[in-house]
Amino acid sequence: MAPEKTAVEMHPQRWGDPAAATPLNDAARGLVELAFGLHEHPPVRSSPVPAPAIDPALLDALRELVGAEHVLTDDDTRRLRTRGKSTPDLLRARAGDLSDAPDAVVRPGGPDDVAALLAFAVEHHLAVVPFGGGTSVTGGLAARRDGYAGVVSLDLVRMKRLVAVDPVSMTATLEPGLRGPEAEALLAEHAMTLGHYPQSFEFASIGGFAATRSSGQSSAGYGRFDSLVVGLTVATPQGPLVLGSAPASAAGPDLRQLVLGSEGAFGVITSVTVRVRHLPAVTAYEGWRWRSFAEGSAAMRTLAQAGLLPTVIRLSDETETAINLARPDEIGGAGAGGCLMIVGYEGTPEAASARQAAVTAVLTRLGGEWLGEEPGRAWAHGRFGAPYLRDSMLDVGVLVETLETATFWSNAERLYAGVKEALEAALGEPTMVLCHVSHVYETGCSLYFTVATPEGEDPLGRWQAAKAAASDAIVAAGATITHHHAVGTDHKPWLAAEIGPVGVGILRAVKAELDPTGILNPGVLIP
Amino acid sequence: MAPEKTAVEMHPQRWGDPAAATPLNDAARGLVELAFGLHEHPPVRSSPVPAPAIDPALLDALRELVGAEHVLTDDDTRRLRTRGKSTPDLLRARAGDLSDAPDAVVRPGGPDDVAALLAFAVEHHLAVVPFGGGTSVTGGLAARRDGYAGVVSLDLVRMKRLVAVDPVSMTATLEPGLRGPEAEALLAEHAMTLGHYPQSFEFASIGGFAATRSSGQSSAGYGRFDSLVVGLTVATPQGPLVLGSAPASAAGPDLRQLVLGSEGAFGVITSVTVRVRHLPAVTAYEGWRWRSFAEGSAAMRTLAQAGLLPTVIRLSDETETAINLARPDEIGGAGAGGCLMIVGYEGTPEAASARQAAVTAVLTRLGGEWLGEEPGRAWAHGRFGAPYLRDSMLDVGVLVETLETATFWSNAERLYAGVKEALEAALGEPTMVLCHVSHVYETGCSLYFTVATPEGEDPLGRWQAAKAAASDAIVAAGATITHHHAVGTDHKPWLAAEIGPVGVGILRAVKAELDPTGILNPGVLIP
């Protein structure tokens, strides 16, 4: 039942499958040169990983616990478990900075191993960083090491079972180390799907989806990951936590929602029981054009509030639409302009076409222009490709990074303007700020920004200043500091502003209860 | 904007508006006599309320805080704030036991008053019991008094404002003291509805809906109350907690879900921001007949998993169907038999009729028999009436009580059989156990049991033994101890079994953080 234990590893300095790298073609290079200038800036060829700063006797004891072959201290393995894949992470890796490398990578085979490892870590005061896909973009894998006897990456790569399938209740219990495609492949054997497709889908893991409250490109139809979770088992230093006795309950606070988003700081998720759906017989994606971002957004709101959301719905602002149009695989044809919306329908033929008819009627009435299926196909083809393009841009000296937030509909325009202005002011010209509405709800939506700007002398410092300005703008607008990227280390100051001192007190109290010696992902999440 | 401050108060020994009491008619008396025998058992005429056991100087200080007219110690007011409306609560009240009466009833005028009262209570170690509608059926208002300088009922009756309406985001911010009909009346001025109709609707409050994770009869369409909440403000002894910066977020655990279901033990909810909908233009309820409870349940599951739930859907088992048929206002006509399902559609005419067509096609295909609108009208007419009938049954010596649970679909039959058997075995003959599926989800459903049995010599003891047996059966089946009635004091032992020692540790840690001196609803919720 379990997929290959050794899935493709990402390059330590780049996103994704090294074989799938996409260097800029001549047309794209020309456009980049025009906008930003070309400044070839390849990563350093290789750099030394700091020697493991951990007592060899502890390593021997770890080998006793999980087997010698599952305690790895070689440079390659540790390099690949160093930080995540934010642009700051890549900039550091490209510059040869591997100072956050774990001292060892330990691979538990199941929940009992995890529990034993946590007990061992408590006893010897080892920091433990749960590792799934390594796709964090908020510093979720950059644990503090001060005061610890060492930092261990708890790699969940061996925990990839489909534990149970319940075709009556339409639930499945998955182990945390399963990557998106691995989970889908196992579910497909039962004609089921999770339907969770974040941009990180190809590498991110089930445990990570839960620990970070991931949201996917089809979440309008399938739901955010947190809404898919009906049960969880968690290994904590205080013992196992098993949650999920019913789809919904009034038996006190919903503790599942405390584990979701806990980013490894409260415990290690050892299994996740999720709602699944029948594999869709139909998947159809199409494009719509709107005269403005405001009109397209209003149309999304109308659909959401009418209970008529399609499976996929996203809307690019004028700039993002124009940039995509400028790419060689031009979307929407000449002079399309305006704002591109991608709309997708999945399900049974009857359900998909009924929804398509209802959505089409609303969008047409509101002034949308149907562009046919070609833009939908183009989007679907490239839906996981953007992070590869980022690497190619970094190679020629252009810093590309994303950030996202969410708010209620009545506040979306203010939030959009505030973040865009903050980024442009912080980075100066030439800077491009693109945005799309990535997820919609009855009461609001998320805004996903992509920024491109010259790296300059100090790209990391440049980005950190811009990110701080954007985050301040998000807080000033009363929005959330992240809709689906989690807190990590990067968002902590703004999380504190968002939930206030009483909210921070709650997180600290839960942390102190479950992890009294603070071994779990120290420095992450808790302000 | 605020409705009358003095809404109808319930009778201290009975449910609901005293003017709406419904004595059994002759036909019903005949049926009850046949089944259980008639044993007239009127409540005691009146009984003394214990004198306030609180230092008069503290009462004077409270009067300084909120105004003398808002600190009440008279017998009538305190009697009406004594416990909730479970059958055990009624049995105690009918027997004249008012030992749980609060020492004073204090009515804050707004969040500042609440904060000041909490600070005062901490300083003087007064137990504080938040009071909304007084409809708890799980002992949620029966705070411990040992070791406290007094017990104060924090009556939210003055906090009944519609604080804000956002017609773009379709949200509204409501104060906690608003009862169901009051909230609906305020929203109706904006052509909006919350759509939350639990059986306690006429008396239960917005704060209570949130604090207990209430679920209503139209929750298939409008959602459980916890799913309607997008924002909360809470007064805690540590200061205010303000949550809800977006419809959804990845900024750590969702702390809203920790406040929802906290039953006054973590803080006092001072406002709730909820998702609202446009007032439905159409409301249509109808009846369907199924050959068996299993067939009807399977049909509900099919609808839920196809994304085709109507606004209202509920299914009575064979016994509950037969009992309702035996009533003088006979449902479904002669020989209907089987299992009655009520299905309701609300919304725009187009949306309601589209959903009705789709649902009708599925139910017909699966073997359901359409009974027309009459059963739907009868259900809608009597939807809040059952608690009145309970009083009339208690008057003639028949103990009537309900309990409910939820589980995943694949476990529902086992849960149903287990609880039914446990109740029948504990109570012996003649006992009637009725059940309906009250709420459905993609992955499971709730089961709502109604029990009727002779009171016997010790009705309270009889029920407590039966409730314990049923609760043990629920835990044995791996289901939740309550789907929408909260924990209170009655469900605490089984909550501990459900969430385990680590889960209990979390609740205790949050309690200790927010309420370190334990003044908030002591003895409630936290095992």
mmCIF file of all heavy atoms in Angstrom, chain B residues 262-278:
data_model
loop_
_atom_site.group_PDB
_atom_site.id
_atom_site.type_symbol
_atom_site.label_atom_id
_atom_site.label_comp_id
_atom_site.label_asym_id
_atom_site.label_seq_id
_atom_site.Cartn_x
_atom_site.Cartn_y
_atom_site.Cartn_z
ATOM 1 N N SER B 262 -16.857 26.895 24.997
ATOM 2 C CA SER B 262 -16.136 27.084 26.276
ATOM 3 C C SER B 262 -17.087 27.309 27.450
ATOM 4 O O SER B 262 -16.643 27.380 28.593
ATOM 5 C CB SER B 262 -15.129 28.230 26.156
ATOM 6 O OG SER B 262 -15.786 29.456 25.909
ATOM 7 N N GLU B 263 -18.383 27.457 27.195
ATOM 8 C CA GLU B 263 -19.415 27.403 28.236
ATOM 9 C C GLU B 263 -19.159 28.334 29.413
ATOM 10 O O GLU B 263 -19.450 27.992 30.567
ATOM 11 C CB GLU B 263 -19.569 25.951 28.725
ATOM 12 C CG GLU B 263 -19.898 25.001 27.576
ATOM 13 C CD GLU B 263 -20.191 23.574 28.039
ATOM 14 O OE1 GLU B 263 -20.654 23.393 29.164
ATOM 15 O OE2 GLU B 263 -19.932 22.650 27.244
ATOM 16 N N GLY B 264 -18.616 29.490 29.128
ATOM 17 C CA GLY B 264 -18.406 30.461 30.199
ATOM 18 C C GLY B 264 -17.243 30.148 31.110
ATOM 19 O O GLY B 264 -16.997 30.882 32.067
ATOM 20 N N ALA B 265 -16.514 29.096 30.816
ATOM 21 C CA ALA B 265 -15.417 28.706 31.701
ATOM 22 C C ALA B 265 -14.109 29.421 31.373
ATOM 23 O O ALA B 265 -13.194 29.449 32.194
ATOM 24 C CB ALA B 265 -15.201 27.195 31.640
ATOM 25 N N PHE B 266 -14.008 29.988 30.181
ATOM 26 C CA PHE B 266 -12.783 30.691 29.775
ATOM 27 C C PHE B 266 -12.979 32.204 29.771
ATOM 28 O O PHE B 266 -11.998 32.955 29.759
ATOM 29 C CB PHE B 266 -12.355 30.277 28.366
ATOM 30 C CG PHE B 266 -11.902 28.845 28.227
ATOM 31 C CD1 PHE B 266 -11.792 28.267 26.960
ATOM 32 C CD2 PHE B 266 -11.573 28.071 29.332
ATOM 33 C CE1 PHE B 266 -11.358 26.954 26.803
ATOM 34 C CE2 PHE B 266 -11.152 26.758 29.185
ATOM 35 C CZ PHE B 266 -11.044 26.200 27.915
ATOM 36 N N GLY B 267 -14.211 32.654 29.682
ATOM 37 C CA GLY B 267 -14.472 34.077 29.586
ATOM 38 C C GLY B 267 -15.939 34.295 29.295
ATOM 39 O O GLY B 267 -16.695 33.328 29.132
ATOM 40 N N VAL B 268 -16.323 35.552 29.236
ATOM 41 C CA VAL B 268 -17.704 35.900 28.922
ATOM 42 C C VAL B 268 -17.720 36.489 27.513
ATOM 43 O O VAL B 268 -17.045 37.495 27.240
ATOM 44 C CB VAL B 268 -18.261 36.924 29.928
ATOM 45 C CG1 VAL B 268 -19.690 37.315 29.562
ATOM 46 C CG2 VAL B 268 -18.192 36.368 31.342
ATOM 47 N N ILE B 269 -18.444 35.854 26.632
ATOM 48 C CA ILE B 269 -18.542 36.329 25.248
ATOM 49 C C ILE B 269 -19.337 37.632 25.249
ATOM 50 O O ILE B 269 -20.470 37.664 25.701
ATOM 51 C CB ILE B 269 -19.218 35.259 24.373
ATOM 52 C CG1 ILE B 269 -18.327 34.009 24.301
ATOM 53 C CG2 ILE B 269 -19.507 35.811 22.974
ATOM 54 C CD1 ILE B 269 -19.011 32.792 23.705
ATOM 55 N N THR B 270 -18.723 38.694 24.767
ATOM 56 C CA THR B 270 -19.404 39.997 24.799
ATOM 57 C C THR B 270 -19.931 40.412 23.423
ATOM 58 O O THR B 270 -20.753 41.320 23.340
ATOM 59 C CB THR B 270 -18.472 41.084 25.356
ATOM 60 O OG1 THR B 270 -17.247 41.074 24.618
ATOM 61 C CG2 THR B 270 -18.165 40.824 26.826
ATOM 62 N N SER B 271 -19.456 39.785 22.369
ATOM 63 C CA SER B 271 -20.113 39.948 21.067
ATOM 64 C C SER B 271 -19.724 38.802 20.157
ATOM 65 O O SER B 271 -18.676 38.167 20.342
ATOM 66 C CB SER B 271 -19.777 41.293 20.406
ATOM 67 O OG SER B 271 -18.493 41.250 19.828
ATOM 68 N N VAL B 272 -20.595 38.551 19.207
ATOM 69 C CA VAL B 272 -20.387 37.464 18.255
ATOM 70 C C VAL B 272 -20.629 38.030 16.864
ATOM 71 O O VAL B 272 -21.682 38.619 16.617
ATOM 72 C CB VAL B 272 -21.367 36.297 18.516
ATOM 73 C CG1 VAL B 272 -21.072 35.128 17.583
ATOM 74 C CG2 VAL B 272 -21.317 35.841 19.969
ATOM 75 N N THR B 273 -19.664 37.866 15.971
ATOM 76 C CA THR B 273 -19.877 38.259 14.583
ATOM 77 C C THR B 273 -20.190 37.005 13.784
ATOM 78 O O THR B 273 -19.412 36.045 13.795
ATOM 79 C CB THR B 273 -18.660 38.991 14.013
ATOM 80 O OG1 THR B 273 -18.403 40.136 14.821
ATOM 81 C CG2 THR B 273 -18.916 39.437 12.574
ATOM 82 N N VAL B 274 -21.344 37.032 13.154
ATOM 83 C CA VAL B 274 -21.840 35.844 12.454
ATOM 84 C C VAL B 274 -22.051 36.120 10.983
ATOM 85 O O VAL B 274 -22.332 37.236 10.564
ATOM 86 C CB VAL B 274 -23.180 35.375 13.051
ATOM 87 C CG1 VAL B 274 -22.970 34.698 14.391
ATOM 88 C CG2 VAL B 274 -24.160 36.528 13.164
ATOM 89 N N ARG B 275 -21.903 35.085 10.212
ATOM 90 C CA ARG B 275 -22.310 35.052 8.819
ATOM 91 C C ARG B 275 -23.833 35.132 8.797
ATOM 92 O O ARG B 275 -24.499 34.439 9.579
ATOM 93 C CB ARG B 275 -21.870 33.683 8.296
ATOM 94 C CG ARG B 275 -21.926 33.444 6.875
ATOM 95 C CD ARG B 275 -21.131 32.175 6.574
ATOM 96 N NE ARG B 275 -21.911 30.967 6.798
ATOM 97 C CZ ARG B 275 -21.435 29.742 6.668
ATOM 98 N NH1 ARG B 275 -20.170 29.546 6.353
ATOM 99 N NH2 ARG B 275 -22.189 28.701 6.878
ATOM 100 N N VAL B 276 -24.377 35.984 7.957
ATOM 101 C CA VAL B 276 -25.843 36.024 7.823
ATOM 102 C C VAL B 276 -26.213 35.765 6.366
ATOM 103 O O VAL B 276 -25.359 35.826 5.473
ATOM 104 C CB VAL B 276 -26.420 37.386 8.290
ATOM 105 C CG1 VAL B 276 -26.280 37.536 9.799
ATOM 106 C CG2 VAL B 276 -25.761 38.547 7.558
ATOM 107 N N ARG B 277 -27.481 35.477 6.152
ATOM 108 C CA ARG B 277 -27.978 35.234 4.795
ATOM 109 C C ARG B 277 -29.135 36.176 4.515
ATOM 110 O O ARG B 277 -29.719 36.736 5.437
ATOM 111 C CB ARG B 277 -28.476 33.791 4.681
ATOM 112 C CG ARG B 277 -27.455 32.759 4.262
ATOM 113 C CD ARG B 277 -26.167 32.780 5.029
ATOM 114 N NE ARG B 277 -25.301 31.667 4.672
ATOM 115 C CZ ARG B 277 -25.136 30.590 5.423
ATOM 116 N NH1 ARG B 277 -25.742 30.480 6.584
ATOM 117 N NH2 ARG B 277 -24.338 29.612 5.021
ATOM 118 N N HIS B 278 -29.466 36.324 3.251
ATOM 119 C CA HIS B 278 -30.664 37.064 2.893
ATOM 120 C C HIS B 278 -31.888 36.299 3.404
ATOM 121 O O HIS B 278 -31.911 35.066 3.354
ATOM 122 C CB HIS B 278 -30.753 37.232 1.368
ATOM 123 C CG HIS B 278 -29.599 38.008 0.799
ATOM 124 N ND1 HIS B 278 -29.384 39.337 1.062
ATOM 125 C CD2 HIS B 278 -28.561 37.618 0.012
ATOM 126 C CE1 HIS B 278 -28.294 39.747 0.442
ATOM 127 N NE2 HIS B 278 -27.763 38.712 -0.198
#
